[in-house]
Coordinates of all heavy atoms in Angstrom, one line a residue:
M690 N 0.8 -1.2 0.0 CA 0.0 0.0 0.0 C 0.9 1.3 0.0 O 0.4 2.4 -0.1 CB -0.9 0.0 1.2 CG -2.1 -0.9 1.1 SD -3.1 -0.6 -0.4 CE -4.5 0.4 0.3
A691 N 2.1 1.1 0.2 CA 3.0 2.3 0.3 C 3.0 3.1 -1.0 O 3.2 4.3 -0.9 CB 4.4 1.8 0.6
D692 N 2.7 2.5 -2.1 CA 2.7 3.2 -3.4 C 1.4 3.8 -3.8 O 1.3 4.5 -4.8 CB 3.2 2.3 -4.5 CG 4.6 1.9 -4.4 OD1 5.3 2.6 -3.6 OD2 5.0 0.9 -5.0
T693 N 0.3 3.6 -3.0 CA -1.0 4.1 -3.4 C -0.9 5.7 -3.4 O -0.6 6.3 -2.3 CB -2.1 3.6 -2.5 OG1 -2.0 2.2 -2.4 CG2 -3.4 4.0 -3.0
N694 N -1.3 6.2 -4.5 CA -1.3 7.7 -4.6 C -2.7 8.2 -4.2 O -3.7 8.0 -5.0 CB -0.9 8.1 -6.0 CG -0.9 9.7 -6.1 OD1 -1.2 10.4 -5.1 ND2 -0.6 10.1 -7.3
L695 N -2.9 8.8 -3.1 CA -4.2 9.3 -2.6 C -4.4 10.8 -3.0 O -5.4 11.3 -2.6 CB -4.3 9.1 -1.1 CG -4.3 7.6 -0.7 CD1 -4.3 7.6 0.8 CD2 -5.5 6.9 -1.3
N696 N -3.5 11.3 -3.7 CA -3.6 12.7 -4.1 C -4.6 12.9 -5.3 O -4.2 12.6 -6.4 CB -2.2 13.3 -4.5 CG -2.3 14.8 -4.8 OD1 -3.4 15.4 -4.8 ND2 -1.2 15.3 -5.2
T697 N -5.8 13.3 -5.0 CA -6.8 13.5 -6.1 C -6.9 14.9 -6.5 O -7.8 15.3 -7.4 CB -8.2 13.0 -5.6 OG1 -8.5 13.7 -4.5 CG2 -8.1 11.5 -5.4
Q698 N -6.1 15.8 -5.9 CA -6.2 17.2 -6.3 C -5.8 17.4 -7.8 O -4.9 16.8 -8.3 CB -5.2 18.0 -5.5 CG -5.8 18.6 -4.3 CD -4.8 19.5 -3.6 OE1 -3.6 19.5 -3.9 NE2 -5.3 20.3 -2.7
T699 N -6.6 18.2 -8.4 CA -6.2 18.6 -9.8 C -5.6 20.0 -9.8 O -5.9 20.8 -8.9 CB -7.4 18.6 -10.8 OG1 -8.4 19.4 -10.2 CG2 -8.0 17.2 -11.0
K700 N -4.8 20.2 -10.7 CA -4.1 21.5 -10.8 C -5.1 22.6 -11.1 O -5.8 22.5 -12.1 CB -3.0 21.4 -11.9 CG -2.0 22.5 -11.9 CD -0.9 22.1 -12.9 CE -0.3 23.3 -13.6 NZ 0.3 23.0 -14.9
P701 N -5.1 23.7 -10.4 CA -6.0 24.8 -10.7 C -5.7 25.4 -12.0 O -4.5 25.6 -12.3 CB -5.9 25.8 -9.6 CG -4.8 25.3 -8.7 CD -4.3 24.0 -9.2
E702 N -6.7 25.6 -12.8 CA -6.4 26.2 -14.2 C -6.2 27.7 -14.1 O -7.0 28.4 -13.4 CB -7.5 25.9 -15.1 CG -7.2 24.6 -16.0 CD -8.3 24.4 -17.0 OE1 -8.6 25.3 -17.8 OE2 -8.8 23.3 -17.0
L703 N -5.2 28.2 -14.7 CA -5.0 29.6 -14.7 C -5.4 30.1 -16.1 O -4.8 29.8 -17.1 CB -3.5 29.9 -14.6 CG -3.0 30.6 -13.3 CD1 -1.6 31.1 -13.4 CD2 -4.0 31.7 -12.8
K704 N -6.5 30.8 -16.1 CA -7.0 31.3 -17.4 C -6.8 32.8 -17.5 O -7.5 33.6 -16.8 CB -8.5 31.0 -17.6 CG -8.7 29.6 -18.2 CD -9.8 29.6 -19.3 CE -10.0 28.3 -19.9 NZ -11.3 27.6 -19.5
V705 N -5.8 33.2 -18.2 CA -5.5 34.7 -18.4 C -6.0 35.1 -19.8 O -5.4 34.6 -20.8 CB -4.1 35.0 -18.2 CG1 -3.8 36.5 -18.4 CG2 -3.6 34.6 -16.8
E706 N -7.0 35.9 -19.9 CA -7.5 36.2 -21.2 C -7.0 37.6 -21.6 O -7.0 38.6 -20.8 CB -9.0 36.1 -21.3 CG -9.3 34.7 -21.7 CD -10.8 34.3 -21.6 OE1 -11.6 35.2 -21.8 OE2 -11.1 33.1 -21.4
R707 N -6.6 37.7 -22.9 CA -6.2 39.0 -23.4 C -7.4 39.9 -23.5 O -8.4 39.5 -24.1 CB -5.6 38.7 -24.8 CG -5.1 39.9 -25.6 CD -4.5 39.5 -26.9 NE -5.4 38.7 -27.8 CZ -6.4 39.2 -28.5 NH1 -6.6 40.5 -28.5 NH2 -7.1 38.4 -29.3
P708 N -7.3 41.1 -23.0 CA -8.4 42.0 -23.2 C -8.7 42.3 -24.6 O -7.8 42.4 -25.5 CB -7.9 43.3 -22.5 CG -6.6 43.1 -21.9 CD -6.1 41.8 -22.4
K709 N -10.0 42.3 -24.9 CA -10.4 42.6 -26.3 C -10.1 44.0 -26.8 O -10.1 44.9 -26.1 CB -12.0 42.5 -26.4 CG -12.4 41.0 -26.5 CD -13.9 41.0 -27.0 CE -14.4 39.6 -27.1 NZ -15.6 39.3 -26.3
L710 N -9.7 44.0 -28.1 CA -9.5 45.3 -28.7 C -10.9 45.9 -29.1 O -11.8 45.1 -29.3 CB -8.6 45.2 -29.9 CG -7.1 44.9 -29.6 CD1 -6.4 44.6 -30.9 CD2 -6.5 46.0 -28.9
H711 N -11.0 47.2 -29.1 CA -12.2 47.8 -29.5 C -12.1 48.7 -30.8 O -11.1 49.4 -30.9 CB -12.8 48.7 -28.3 CG -13.3 47.9 -27.2 ND1 -14.6 48.0 -26.8 CD2 -12.7 46.9 -26.5 CE1 -14.8 47.1 -25.8 NE2 -13.6 46.5 -25.6
K712 N -13.1 48.5 -31.7 CA -13.1 49.2 -32.9 C -13.7 50.6 -32.7 O -14.6 50.8 -31.9 CB -14.0 48.5 -33.9 CG -13.5 47.1 -34.3 CD -14.4 46.5 -35.3 CE -15.6 45.9 -34.7 NZ -16.4 44.9 -35.6
V713 N -13.1 51.6 -33.3 CA -13.7 52.9 -33.4 C -14.4 53.0 -34.8 O -13.7 52.8 -35.8 CB -12.7 54.1 -33.3 CG1 -13.3 55.4 -33.5 CG2 -12.0 54.0 -31.9
I714 N -15.7 53.3 -34.8 CA -16.5 53.3 -36.0 C -17.0 54.7 -36.3 O -17.5 55.4 -35.5 CB -17.6 52.4 -35.8 CG1 -17.1 50.9 -35.6 CG2 -18.6 52.4 -37.0 CD1 -18.1 50.0 -35.0
L715 N -16.7 55.1 -37.5 CA -17.2 56.4 -38.0 C -18.6 56.2 -38.7 O -18.8 55.3 -39.5 CB -16.2 57.0 -39.1 CG -16.7 58.2 -39.9 CD1 -16.9 59.4 -39.0 CD2 -15.7 58.5 -41.0
V716 N -19.5 57.0 -38.2 CA -20.9 56.9 -38.7 C -21.2 58.1 -39.7 O -20.9 59.2 -39.4 CB -21.9 56.9 -37.5 CG1 -23.3 56.8 -38.0 CG2 -21.5 55.8 -36.5
N717 N -21.8 57.8 -40.8 CA -22.2 58.8 -41.8 C -23.3 59.7 -41.3 O -24.1 59.2 -40.5 CB -22.6 58.2 -43.1 CG -22.8 59.2 -44.2 OD1 -22.1 60.2 -44.3 ND2 -23.8 59.0 -45.0
D718 N -23.4 60.9 -41.8 CA -24.5 61.8 -41.6 C -24.6 62.7 -42.8 O -23.7 62.7 -43.7 CB -24.4 62.6 -40.3 CG -23.3 63.6 -40.4 OD1 -23.5 64.6 -41.1 OD2 -22.2 63.4 -39.7
D719 N -25.7 63.4 -42.9 CA -26.0 64.2 -44.1 C -25.5 65.6 -44.0 O -25.6 66.4 -45.0 CB -27.5 64.3 -44.4 CG -28.0 62.9 -44.9 OD1 -27.2 62.1 -45.4 OD2 -29.2 62.7 -44.8
F720 N -24.9 66.0 -42.9 CA -24.6 67.4 -42.6 C -23.1 67.8 -42.5 O -22.7 68.9 -42.9 CB -25.3 67.9 -41.4 CG -26.8 67.7 -41.5 CD1 -27.4 66.6 -40.9 CD2 -27.6 68.5 -42.2 CE1 -28.8 66.3 -41.0 CE2 -29.0 68.3 -42.4 CZ -29.6 67.2 -41.7
T721 N -22.3 66.9 -41.9 CA -20.9 67.2 -41.7 C -20.2 67.3 -43.0 O -20.2 66.3 -43.8 CB -20.2 66.2 -40.7 OG1 -21.0 66.0 -39.6 CG2 -18.8 66.6 -40.3
P722 N -19.5 68.4 -43.3 CA -18.7 68.5 -44.5 C -17.6 67.4 -44.6 O -17.0 67.1 -43.6 CB -18.1 69.9 -44.5 CG -18.9 70.6 -43.5 CD -19.4 69.6 -42.5
R723 N -17.4 66.9 -45.8 CA -16.4 65.9 -46.0 C -15.0 66.3 -45.5 O -14.3 65.5 -44.9 CB -16.3 65.5 -47.5 CG -17.5 64.9 -48.1 CD -17.3 64.6 -49.6 NE -18.5 64.0 -50.2 CZ -18.5 63.5 -51.4 NH1 -17.4 63.4 -52.1 NH2 -19.6 63.0 -51.9
E724 N -14.6 67.6 -45.8 CA -13.3 68.1 -45.5 C -13.2 68.1 -43.9 O -12.1 67.9 -43.4 CB -13.0 69.5 -46.0 CG -13.5 69.7 -47.5 CD -15.0 69.9 -47.6 OE1 -15.5 70.8 -47.1 OE2 -15.6 69.0 -48.3
F725 N -14.3 68.4 -43.3 CA -14.2 68.4 -41.8 C -13.9 67.0 -41.2 O -13.1 66.8 -40.3 CB -15.5 69.0 -41.2 CG -15.4 69.2 -39.7 CD1 -14.9 70.4 -39.2 CD2 -15.8 68.2 -38.9 CE1 -14.8 70.5 -37.8 CE2 -15.7 68.4 -37.5 CZ -15.2 69.5 -37.0
V726 N -14.6 66.0 -41.8 CA -14.4 64.6 -41.4 C -13.0 64.2 -41.5 O -12.3 63.7 -40.7 CB -15.4 63.7 -42.1 CG1 -15.1 62.2 -41.6 CG2 -16.8 64.1 -41.9
V727 N -12.4 64.6 -42.7 CA -11.0 64.3 -43.0 C -10.1 64.9 -42.0 O -9.1 64.3 -41.5 CB -10.7 64.7 -44.5 CG1 -9.2 64.6 -44.7 CG2 -11.4 63.8 -45.5
R728 N -10.4 66.2 -41.7 CA -9.5 66.9 -40.7 C -9.5 66.2 -39.4 O -8.5 66.1 -38.7 CB -10.0 68.4 -40.6 CG -9.0 69.3 -40.1 CD -9.5 70.7 -39.9 NE -10.3 71.2 -41.0 CZ -11.3 72.1 -40.9 NH1 -11.6 72.6 -39.7 NH2 -12.0 72.4 -42.0
V729 N -10.7 65.8 -38.9 CA -10.8 65.2 -37.6 C -10.1 63.8 -37.6 O -9.4 63.5 -36.6 CB -12.3 65.0 -37.2 CG1 -12.4 64.1 -36.0 CG2 -12.9 66.3 -36.9
L730 N -10.2 63.1 -38.7 CA -9.5 61.8 -38.8 C -8.0 61.9 -38.7 O -7.3 61.2 -38.0 CB -9.9 61.0 -40.1 CG -11.4 60.5 -40.1 CD1 -11.7 60.0 -41.5 CD2 -11.5 59.3 -39.1
K731 N -7.5 63.0 -39.4 CA -6.1 63.2 -39.4 C -5.6 63.6 -38.0 O -4.6 63.1 -37.5 CB -5.7 64.3 -40.4 CG -5.8 63.9 -41.8 CD -5.8 65.0 -42.8 CE -4.4 65.6 -43.0 NZ -4.4 66.6 -44.0
A732 N -6.4 64.5 -37.3 CA -6.0 65.1 -36.1 C -6.1 64.1 -34.9 O -5.2 63.9 -34.1 CB -6.8 66.3 -35.7
E733 N -7.2 63.4 -34.9 CA -7.4 62.5 -33.7 C -6.8 61.1 -33.9 O -6.4 60.5 -32.9 CB -8.9 62.4 -33.4 CG -9.3 61.7 -32.1 CD -8.6 62.3 -30.9 OE1 -8.7 63.5 -30.8 OE2 -8.1 61.5 -30.1
F734 N -6.8 60.6 -35.1 CA -6.4 59.2 -35.3 C -5.0 59.1 -36.1 O -4.6 58.0 -36.3 CB -7.5 58.4 -36.1 CG -8.7 58.4 -35.3 CD1 -9.8 59.3 -35.5 CD2 -8.9 57.4 -34.3 CE1 -10.9 59.3 -34.8 CE2 -10.1 57.4 -33.5 CZ -11.1 58.3 -33.8
R735 N -4.5 60.3 -36.4 CA -3.1 60.3 -37.0 C -3.1 59.6 -38.3 O -2.1 59.0 -38.7 CB -2.1 59.7 -36.1 CG -1.9 60.4 -34.7 CD -1.9 61.8 -34.9 NE -1.1 62.6 -34.0 CZ -0.7 63.8 -34.3 NH1 -0.9 64.3 -35.5 NH2 -0.1 64.6 -33.5
L736 N -4.3 59.6 -39.0 CA -4.3 59.0 -40.4 C -3.7 60.0 -41.4 O -3.8 61.2 -41.2 CB -5.7 58.6 -40.8 CG -6.5 57.6 -39.9 CD1 -7.8 57.2 -40.6 CD2 -5.7 56.4 -39.6
S737 N -3.2 59.5 -42.5 CA -2.7 60.4 -43.5 C -3.9 61.0 -44.3 O -5.1 60.5 -44.1 CB -1.9 59.6 -44.5 OG -2.7 58.7 -45.2
E738 N -3.7 62.0 -45.1 CA -4.7 62.6 -45.9 C -5.5 61.5 -46.7 O -6.7 61.5 -46.8 CB -4.1 63.6 -46.8 CG -5.0 64.3 -47.8 CD -5.9 65.4 -47.2 OE1 -5.4 66.0 -46.2 OE2 -7.0 65.6 -47.6
E739 N -4.7 60.6 -47.3 CA -5.2 59.6 -48.2 C -6.0 58.6 -47.4 O -7.2 58.2 -47.8 CB -4.1 58.9 -48.9 CG -4.5 58.1 -50.2 CD -3.3 57.4 -50.8 OE1 -2.1 57.6 -50.3 OE2 -3.5 56.7 -51.8
Q740 N -5.5 58.1 -46.3 CA -6.2 57.2 -45.5 C -7.5 57.8 -45.0 O -8.6 57.2 -44.9 CB -5.4 56.8 -44.3 CG -4.2 55.9 -44.6 CD -3.4 55.7 -43.3 OE1 -3.1 56.6 -42.6 NE2 -3.0 54.4 -43.0
S741 N -7.4 59.1 -44.5 CA -8.6 59.8 -44.0 C -9.7 59.9 -45.0 O -10.9 59.7 -44.8 CB -8.2 61.1 -43.5 OG -7.2 61.0 -42.4
Y742 N -9.3 60.2 -46.2 CA -10.2 60.4 -47.3 C -10.9 59.1 -47.6 O -12.2 59.0 -47.8 CB -9.5 60.9 -48.6 CG -10.5 61.3 -49.7 CD1 -11.3 62.4 -49.6 CD2 -10.7 60.4 -50.7 CE1 -12.2 62.7 -50.6 CE2 -11.7 60.7 -51.7 CZ -12.4 61.8 -51.7 OH -13.3 62.1 -52.6
K743 N -10.2 58.0 -47.7 CA -10.7 56.7 -47.9 C -11.7 56.2 -46.8 O -12.8 55.7 -47.1 CB -9.6 55.6 -48.0 CG -8.9 55.6 -49.3 CD -7.9 54.5 -49.4 CE -7.1 54.5 -50.7 NZ -5.9 53.6 -50.7
V744 N -11.4 56.5 -45.6 CA -12.3 56.1 -44.5 C -13.5 56.9 -44.5 O -14.6 56.4 -44.4 CB -11.5 56.3 -43.1 CG1 -12.5 56.2 -41.9 CG2 -10.4 55.2 -42.9
M745 N -13.4 58.3 -44.8 CA -14.5 59.1 -44.8 C -15.5 58.7 -46.0 O -16.7 58.6 -45.8 CB -14.0 60.6 -45.1 CG -15.1 61.6 -45.1 SD -15.9 61.7 -46.8 CE -14.5 62.3 -47.8
M746 N -14.9 58.4 -47.2 CA -15.7 58.0 -48.3 C -16.4 56.7 -48.1 O -17.5 56.5 -48.6 CB -14.9 58.0 -49.6 CG -14.6 59.4 -50.1 SD -16.1 60.4 -50.3 CE -17.0 59.6 -51.6
T747 N -15.7 55.8 -47.4 CA -16.4 54.5 -47.1 C -17.6 54.7 -46.2 O -18.6 54.1 -46.4 CB -15.3 53.5 -46.5 OG1 -14.3 53.3 -47.4 CG2 -16.0 52.1 -46.1
A748 N -17.4 55.5 -45.1 CA -18.6 55.8 -44.3 C -19.7 56.5 -45.1 O -20.9 56.2 -44.9 CB -18.1 56.6 -43.1
H749 N -19.3 57.4 -45.9 CA -20.2 58.2 -46.7 C -21.1 57.2 -47.6 O -22.3 57.4 -47.7 CB -19.5 59.2 -47.6 CG -20.3 60.0 -48.5 ND1 -21.2 61.0 -48.1 CD2 -20.4 60.0 -49.9 CE1 -21.8 61.5 -49.1 NE2 -21.4 60.9 -50.2
R750 N -20.4 56.3 -48.2 CA -21.1 55.4 -49.2 C -21.8 54.2 -48.5 O -22.9 53.8 -48.9 CB -20.1 54.8 -50.1 CG -19.5 55.8 -51.1 CD -18.7 55.1 -52.2 NE -18.3 56.1 -53.2 CZ -17.0 56.3 -53.4 NH1 -16.0 55.7 -52.8 NH2 -16.6 57.2 -54.3
R751 N -21.2 53.7 -47.4 CA -21.7 52.4 -46.8 C -22.5 52.7 -45.5 O -23.1 51.8 -44.9 CB -20.6 51.4 -46.6 CG -19.9 51.1 -47.9 CD -18.7 50.2 -47.6 NE -19.1 48.9 -47.2 CZ -19.2 47.8 -48.0 NH1 -19.0 47.9 -49.3 NH2 -19.6 46.7 -47.5
G752 N -22.3 53.9 -44.9 CA -23.0 54.2 -43.7 C -22.1 54.2 -42.5 O -22.3 55.0 -41.5
V753 N -21.1 53.3 -42.5 CA -20.1 53.2 -41.4 C -18.8 52.8 -41.9 O -18.7 52.2 -43.0 CB -20.6 52.2 -40.3 CG1 -21.7 52.7 -39.5 CG2 -20.8 50.8 -40.8
C754 N -17.7 53.1 -41.1 CA -16.4 52.6 -41.5 C -15.6 52.4 -40.2 O -15.6 53.3 -39.4 CB -15.7 53.5 -42.5 SG -14.1 52.9 -43.0
V755 N -14.9 51.3 -40.1 CA -13.9 51.1 -39.0 C -12.7 52.0 -39.2 O -12.1 51.9 -40.2 CB -13.5 49.6 -38.8 CG1 -12.5 49.5 -37.7 CG2 -14.7 48.7 -38.5
V756 N -12.4 52.9 -38.2 CA -11.3 53.8 -38.3 C -10.0 53.1 -37.9 O -9.0 53.1 -38.6 CB -11.5 55.0 -37.5 CG1 -10.3 56.0 -37.5 CG2 -12.8 55.7 -37.9
A757 N -10.1 52.4 -36.7 CA -8.9 51.8 -36.1 C -9.3 50.9 -34.9 O -10.5 51.1 -34.5 CB -7.9 52.8 -35.7
V758 N -8.4 50.1 -34.4 CA -8.7 49.4 -33.1 C -7.7 49.7 -32.1 O -6.5 50.0 -32.4 CB -8.7 47.8 -33.4 CG1 -9.9 47.4 -34.3 CG2 -7.4 47.3 -33.9
F759 N -8.2 49.8 -30.8 CA -7.4 50.2 -29.7 C -7.8 49.4 -28.4 O -8.9 48.8 -28.5 CB -7.6 51.7 -29.3 CG -7.2 52.6 -30.5 CD1 -8.3 53.1 -31.2 CD2 -5.9 53.0 -30.7 CE1 -8.0 54.0 -32.3 CE2 -5.7 53.9 -31.8 CZ -6.7 54.4 -32.5
A760 N -7.1 49.5 -27.4 CA -7.5 49.0 -26.1 C -8.8 49.9 -25.7 O -8.9 51.0 -26.2 CB -6.5 49.3 -25.0
R761 N -9.7 49.3 -24.9 CA -11.0 49.9 -24.8 C -11.0 51.4 -24.4 O -11.7 52.2 -25.0 CB -11.9 49.1 -23.7 CG -13.2 49.7 -23.6 CD -14.2 48.8 -22.9 NE -14.0 48.8 -21.5 CZ -15.1 48.6 -20.6 NH1 -16.3 48.5 -21.1 NH2 -14.8 48.6 -19.4
D762 N -10.2 51.7 -23.3 CA -10.3 53.1 -22.8 C -9.7 54.1 -23.9 O -10.2 55.2 -24.0 CB -9.5 53.2 -21.5 CG -8.1 52.8 -21.5 OD1 -7.7 52.1 -22.4 OD2 -7.3 53.3 -20.7
I763 N -8.7 53.6 -24.7 CA -8.2 54.5 -25.7 C -9.2 54.7 -26.8 O -9.4 55.8 -27.3 CB -6.8 54.0 -26.2 CG1 -5.8 54.0 -25.1 CG2 -6.4 54.8 -27.4 CD1 -4.5 53.3 -25.4
A764 N -9.9 53.6 -27.2 CA -10.9 53.7 -28.2 C -12.0 54.6 -27.8 O -12.5 55.5 -28.6 CB -11.5 52.3 -28.5
E765 N -12.5 54.5 -26.6 CA -13.6 55.4 -26.1 C -13.1 56.8 -26.0 O -13.9 57.7 -26.3 CB -14.0 54.8 -24.7 CG -14.9 53.6 -24.9 CD -15.2 52.9 -23.6 OE1 -14.8 53.3 -22.5 OE2 -16.0 51.9 -23.6
T766 N -11.9 57.1 -25.5 CA -11.4 58.5 -25.4 C -11.4 59.1 -26.8 O -11.8 60.2 -27.0 CB -10.1 58.5 -24.7 OG1 -10.2 57.9 -23.4 CG2 -9.5 59.9 -24.6
K767 N -10.8 58.4 -27.7 CA -10.7 58.9 -29.1 C -12.0 59.2 -29.7 O -12.2 60.2 -30.4 CB -9.8 58.1 -30.0 CG -8.3 58.2 -29.6 CD -7.5 57.3 -30.5 CE -6.0 57.5 -30.2 NZ -5.4 58.8 -30.6
A768 N -12.9 58.2 -29.6 CA -14.3 58.4 -30.2 C -15.0 59.6 -29.6 O -15.6 60.4 -30.3 CB -15.1 57.1 -29.9
T769 N -14.8 59.8 -28.3 CA -15.5 60.9 -27.6 C -14.9 62.2 -28.0 O -15.6 63.2 -28.4 CB -15.3 60.8 -26.0 OG1 -16.0 59.6 -25.6 CG2 -16.0 62.0 -25.3
R770 N -13.5 62.3 -28.1 CA -12.9 63.5 -28.5 C -13.2 63.9 -30.0 O -13.5 65.1 -30.3 CB -11.3 63.3 -28.4 CG -10.8 63.4 -27.0 CD -9.3 63.1 -26.9 NE -8.6 63.8 -28.0 CZ -7.8 64.8 -27.7 NH1 -7.6 65.2 -26.5 NH2 -7.2 65.4 -28.7
A771 N -13.3 62.9 -30.8 CA -13.6 63.1 -32.3 C -15.0 63.6 -32.4 O -15.3 64.5 -33.2 CB -13.3 61.9 -33.1
T772 N -15.9 63.0 -31.7 CA -17.4 63.3 -31.7 C -17.5 64.8 -31.2 O -18.3 65.6 -31.7 CB -18.2 62.3 -30.9 OG1 -18.1 61.0 -31.5 CG2 -19.7 62.8 -30.8
D773 N -16.8 65.1 -30.1 CA -16.9 66.4 -29.5 C -16.3 67.5 -30.4 O -16.8 68.6 -30.4 CB -16.1 66.5 -28.2 CG -16.9 65.7 -27.0 OD1 -18.0 65.4 -27.2 OD2 -16.3 65.5 -26.0
A774 N -15.3 67.1 -31.2 CA -14.8 68.1 -32.2 C -15.9 68.5 -33.2 O -16.0 69.7 -33.6 CB -13.6 67.5 -32.9
G775 N -16.7 67.5 -33.6 CA -17.8 67.8 -34.5 C -18.9 68.7 -33.8 O -19.3 69.7 -34.3
K776 N -19.2 68.3 -32.6 CA -20.2 69.1 -31.8 C -19.8 70.5 -31.6 O -20.6 71.4 -31.7 CB -20.3 68.4 -30.4 CG -21.7 68.6 -29.7 CD -21.8 67.9 -28.4 CE -22.0 66.4 -28.7 NZ -22.0 65.6 -27.5
A777 N -18.5 70.7 -31.3 CA -18.0 72.1 -31.1 C -18.1 72.9 -32.3 O -18.2 74.2 -32.2 CB -16.5 72.0 -30.6
A778 N -18.1 72.3 -33.5 CA -18.2 73.0 -34.7 C -19.7 73.0 -35.3 O -19.9 73.5 -36.4 CB -17.3 72.4 -35.8
G779 N -20.6 72.5 -34.5 CA -22.0 72.5 -34.8 C -22.4 71.4 -35.8 O -23.5 71.4 -36.4
F780 N -21.6 70.3 -35.8 CA -21.9 69.2 -36.7 C -22.3 67.9 -35.9 O -21.8 67.7 -34.8 CB -20.7 68.8 -37.6 CG -20.3 70.0 -38.5 CD1 -19.0 70.4 -38.5 CD2 -21.3 70.6 -39.3 CE1 -18.7 71.5 -39.3 CE2 -20.9 71.7 -40.1 CZ -19.6 72.1 -40.1
P781 N -23.2 67.1 -36.5 CA -23.6 65.8 -35.8 C -22.7 64.6 -36.0 O -23.1 63.5 -35.9 CB -25.0 65.6 -36.5 CG -24.8 66.0 -37.9 CD -23.9 67.2 -37.8
L782 N -21.4 64.9 -36.3 CA -20.5 63.9 -36.6 C -20.4 62.9 -35.4 O -20.4 63.3 -34.2 CB -19.1 64.5 -36.8 CG -17.9 63.6 -37.1 CD1 -18.1 62.9 -38.4 CD2 -16.6 64.4 -37.1
L783 N -20.4 61.6 -35.7 CA -20.5 60.6 -34.6 C -19.5 59.5 -34.8 O -19.4 58.9 -35.9 CB -21.9 60.0 -34.6 CG -22.1 58.9 -33.5 CD1 -21.9 59.4 -32.1 CD2 -23.5 58.3 -33.7
F784 N -18.8 59.2 -33.7 CA -17.9 58.0 -33.7 C -18.3 57.1 -32.5 O -18.6 57.6 -31.4 CB -16.4 58.5 -33.4 CG -15.7 59.2 -34.5 CD1 -16.0 60.6 -34.7 CD2 -14.9 58.6 -35.4 CE1 -15.4 61.3 -35.7 CE2 -14.3 59.3 -36.4 CZ -14.5 60.6 -36.6
T785 N -18.5 55.8 -32.8 CA -18.9 54.9 -31.7 C -17.8 53.9 -31.6 O -16.8 53.9 -32.3 CB -20.2 54.2 -32.1 OG1 -19.9 53.4 -33.3 CG2 -21.3 55.1 -32.4
T786 N -17.9 53.0 -30.5 CA -16.9 51.9 -30.3 C -17.7 50.6 -30.2 O -18.8 50.6 -29.7 CB -16.1 52.2 -29.1 OG1 -16.9 52.1 -27.9 CG2 -15.3 53.5 -29.1
E787 N -17.0 49.5 -30.5 CA -17.6 48.2 -30.2 C -16.4 47.2 -30.1 O -15.4 47.3 -30.8 CB -18.6 47.8 -31.2 CG -18.1 47.4 -32.6 CD -19.2 46.8 -33.4 OE1 -20.3 47.5 -33.6 OE2 -19.0 45.7 -33.9
P788 N -16.6 46.2 -29.2 CA -15.5 45.2 -29.0 C -15.4 44.4 -30.2 O -16.4 44.0 -30.9 CB -16.0 44.4 -27.8 CG -17.4 44.7 -27.7 CD -17.7 46.0 -28.3
E789 N -14.1 44.0 -30.5 CA -13.9 43.0 -31.6 C -14.3 41.6 -31.1 O -14.3 41.3 -30.0 CB -12.4 42.9 -31.9 CG -11.9 44.0 -32.8 CD -10.5 43.7 -33.4 OE1 -9.7 43.1 -32.7 OE2 -10.3 44.0 -34.6
E790 N -14.7 40.8 -32.1 CA -15.1 39.4 -31.8 C -14.0 38.6 -31.2 O -12.8 38.8 -31.6 CB -15.7 38.7 -33.0 CG -16.9 39.3 -33.6 CD -16.5 40.6 -34.4 OE1 -15.6 40.5 -35.2 OE2 -17.2 41.6 -34.3
Ligands
TYC332 N1 -22.1 62.5 -45.9 C1 -21.4 63.8 -45.6 C2 -21.6 64.8 -46.7 O1 -22.1 64.4 -47.8 C3 -19.9 63.5 -45.4 C4 -19.7 62.6 -44.3 C5 -18.9 61.4 -44.5 C6 -20.1 62.8 -43.0 C7 -18.7 60.5 -43.5 C8 -19.9 61.9 -42.0 O2 -18.9 59.9 -41.2 C9 -19.2 60.8 -42.2 N2 -21.3 66.0 -46.5

């Protein structure tokens, strides 16, 4: 009996999950001028003129466009700042966020 292993404990599982990245989404509207949208994309998201124009036109044509992905708090801060830039200029420009799958 000296060899009987009575240890039935199982190793506790350590599950460390990577926090999800969050998308910042540009939403189209009928009022914000195209050039203003491009200016905000360049200033807040550091996109080039060309990237900004493409993102703006995709939202314009399709209704929405993913601008970039960030950790949640950064995505939310940037979306709020960019939306506020529109509001300050009297435009209904809207940026939202959502978690990646
Ligand atoms: N649709 C706007 C216009 O025709 C331009 C625009 C594009 C506004 C994208 C918002 O997310 C937007 N002036």
